[in-house]
Amino acid sequence: NDALKDKTYRSNEMVVALDIAWQMYGRDSGYLAICKEQKKICLNKGGADISKALQSTHKQSFVFPYRSAEYTDGAKGDEGGLSILRSGNGEQLSTLLFKYTSHGLSHGHYDKLNIQFYDKGNEIIQDYGAARFINIEHKWGGRYLPETNSYAQQTIAHNTITVDETSHYNGNEKLSEANHPNKFFSSVGLGSVQVLSAIDDKAYSHVNLFRTIYSIRLPNVTEPLLVDIFKTHSDSVHQYDLPFNYLGTLMKTNFNYISNNTALKIFGEKNGYQHLWVEASAKNISPFTQFTFLNHQTFYTISSLSNNPLEVFFTRIGANDPNFNLRRDPSYILRTRAKDQTFVNVIETHGNFNPTTEIAVNSFSNISSIQKIEDNDEFTIAEIIYKNKRLLIIQNNADNKSNSKHKYIYNGNEINFTGPFEVLYDGKSVH
């Protein structure tokens, strides 16, 4: 959470970490690809051994094996975790990070069930990171800036739901440190469908949060589709804000919005909202929304379905920031008011723009609709029309056992599957 984005794998922390990992967990040739680029070691046993390994293999080339992974958190590995869903290779690698960890002491942020998305080496859906210019005396002597507490740590600065404009655990570090989300089910690094599901019932005293992320490789489709099913449950009505802190330039929406051309309004009064300018907004729009933006010559579309009336806000960081301590980054925020809310979001990577030839290819979304066939305590069924074919996601919300057998009747056809989910495209199971 407290990442400083100017740092790289050449940072001293990474040098130390790799040397320790090499010594404690065994020689891993994949590490050598990074160690070779670092061009330095620690004067310890691990560092010395890495130096010998590089000298004896100096004519060899090494490649770090980027792959999907699941990591548990906490001293005993039982306090949530962090999953990395990777797809593709080399310069075409895409990475979705799903964070359901414990708080992380003073470096932690209030961001349960937060996601981040990287593609082709670029940040697409970002975590703000730390509000700090480390060791630059002009900015508070290089210490953490006040905006770390007032914005960067707050929930609205992350890609997860904020309830009633109040951060998770009410911004209380001790309370957040004492609790954590729990993984519900996962299938990571296997086949064409990767999925991670987690639940947090402690971030808010009267609201349960339940998020499931699918990374789906469809036949003859180069880029993965990211399907995000985010459910809330409460016995009373609340305001739910779900931001996507995107990086790029707005290209197109499927709804009309009103731009604040002459005067900007502040989004809220506290918990990070006081640092957001509202640049545009839309009310009473269709429950199916689409927003396309361009990032480093690639197009991305966020298609969303809400089961309750929807408002949309385009915001930008910078309000109540007289010393220009914060970056002026944008955000796309979905808002509803309800007891129970289900968002079905699809993050779609498509097409490209070549500024030299001035040609844009496949710049429009391939998704024409999203519908919820069923949504209750037992099942959430989402139907996504992608390239005029039906993508069906069947998710069991009650049984997370991998060996449980389930049956669902869809359009008169019986669908049998084992485990907590099934994905079908054009009538065929995707594996």
Side-chain angles (χ1 to χ4, degrees), residues 7 26 36 72 106 131 155 160 171 181 195 199 221 232 254 260 262 268 274 317 323 326 344 350 375 379 392 405:
K7 284 181 173 283
K36 196 171 184 178
T72 56
S106 62
T155 303
T160 186
V195 58
I199 297 173
V221 177
T232 70
N254 72 337
N260 299 323
T262 58
Q274 75 276 20
I317 305 167
N323 297 314
L326 294 168
V344 179
H350 57 97
D375 189 27
F379 282 108
L392 193 67
K405 297 186 181 300

Side-chain angles (χ1 to χ4, degrees), residues 14-36 38 41-42 44-57 62 64:
M14 286 297 294
V15 175
V16 173
L18 280 175
D19 292 353
I20 292 173
W22 182 277
Q23 178 181 342
M24 298 300 297
Y25 303 112
R27 298 163 62 96
D28 187 330
S29 62
Y31 292 163
L32 295 181
I34 308 300
C35 297
K36 196 171 184 178
Q38 289 176 332
I41 57 168
C42 291
N44 57 20
K45 185 176 180 180
D49 199 29
I50 285 174
S51 179
K52 290 179 183 178
L54 287 173
Q55 289 179 35
S56 63
T57 59
F62 299 97
F64 184 80

Side-chain angles (χ1 to χ4, degrees), residues 398-417:
D399 186 350
N400 61 359
K401 297 182 180 63
S402 60
N403 59 353
S404 294
K405 297 186 181 300
H406 304 285
K407 179 175 68 175
Y408 187 77
I409 306 298
Y410 176 72
N411 284 347
N413 297 315
E414 185 177 295
I415 300 173
N416 295 284
F417 62 98

Side-chain angles (χ1 to χ4, degrees), residues 169-394:
Y169 297 100
N170 202 26
N172 184 308
E173 181 181 324
K174 289 185 178 179
L175 183 60
S176 183
E177 190 67 35
N179 296 281
H180 57 84
N182 290 297
K183 184 173 76 171
F184 188 58
F185 66 82
S186 69
S187 177
V188 173
L190 302 171
S192 298
V193 178
Q194 301 185 78
V195 58
L196 195 290
S197 183
I199 297 173
D200 192 303
D201 59 1
K202 299 292 192 302
Y204 295 104
S205 58
H206 302 295
V207 179
N208 292 343
L209 305 177
F210 180 16
R211 191 172 203 175
T212 308
I213 303 288
Y214 295 82
S215 176
I216 304 171
R217 276 273 186 184
L218 294 175
N220 304 315
V221 177
T222 304
E223 306 284 359
L225 274 185
L226 304 178
V227 180
D228 168 25
I229 300 176
F230 206 150
K231 297 169 62 67
T232 70
H233 171 71
S234 178
D235 293 330
S236 56
V237 174
H238 295 277
Q239 176 182 288
Y240 301 116
D241 289 341
L242 175 59
F244 291 93
N245 294 289
Y246 72 98
L247 295 176
T249 303
L250 189 155
M251 294 286 110
K252 177 179 170 53
T253 68
N254 72 337
F255 54 87
N256 295 322
Y257 53 83
I258 299 174
S259 294
N260 299 323
N261 293 324
T262 58
L264 295 177
K265 295 191 301 182
I266 297 174
F267 198 33
E269 298 179 354
K270 57 184 179 179
N271 300 324
Y273 284 72
Q274 75 276 20
H275 288 299
L276 297 176
W277 292 117
V278 178
E279 296 186 327
S281 60
K283 294 183 178 181
N284 301 318
I285 59 179
S286 164
F288 173 62
T289 61
Q290 288 188 303
F291 160 57
T292 299
F293 60 99
L294 181 66
N295 177 310
H296 288 86
Q297 286 78 60
T298 299
F299 295 96
Y300 301 87
T301 296
I302 300 174
S303 301
S304 301
L305 179 72
S306 169
N307 63 321
N308 291 295
L310 190 65
E311 294 179 73
V312 170
F313 297 89
F314 292 96
T315 68
R316 192 171 298 272
I317 305 167
N320 291 302
D321 183 24
N323 297 314
F324 296 89
N325 287 336
L326 294 168
R327 301 190 305 269
R328 269 43 183 169
D329 295 340
S331 185
Y332 172 67
I333 301 175
L334 307 175
R335 170 176 287 179
T336 66
R337 292 178 178 86
K339 291 183 179 180
D340 296 341
Q341 165 63 25
T342 298
F343 290 106
V344 179
N345 309 296
V346 182
I347 303 173
E348 175 191 4
T349 305
H350 57 97
N352 63 81
F353 172 65
N354 187 322
T356 302
T357 62
E358 303 178 3
I359 295 175
V361 177
N362 193 23
S363 59
F364 290 87
S365 172
N366 297 290
I367 293 173
S368 55
S369 75
I370 302 175
Q371 292 186 358
K372 275 184 295 182
I373 308 303
E374 188 168 330
D375 189 27
N376 51 46
D377 290 342
E378 184 177 10
F379 282 108
T380 295
I381 318 293
E383 178 192 82
I384 301 161
I385 303 302
Y386 177 78
K387 292 189 174 182
N388 297 318
K389 295 180 180 179
R390 183 178 290 109
L391 173 64
L392 193 67
I393 296 175
I394 306 174

Side-chain angles (χ1 to χ4, degrees), residues 1-3 99 103 107-116 125-130 148-149 151-162 167-168 211 230 241-246 271-273 276 317 331-333:
N1 268 145
D2 261 352
K99 183 172 180 286
H103 185 76
H107 288 278
H109 292 189
Y110 304 99
D111 67 334
K112 303 309 180 188
L113 311 187
N114 180 34
I115 63 169
Q116 298 164 239
I125 307 293
Q126 70 151 346
D127 186 303
Y128 185 90
T148 287
N149 294 325
Y151 179 72
Q153 290 185 342
Q154 301 299 323
T155 303
I156 195 63
H158 302 84
N159 308 298
T160 186
I161 283 179
T162 300
S167 289
H168 296 171
R211 191 172 203 175
F230 206 150
D241 289 341
L242 175 59
F244 291 93
N245 294 289
Y246 72 98
N271 300 324
Y273 284 72
L276 297 176
I317 305 167
S331 185
Y332 172 67
I333 301 175

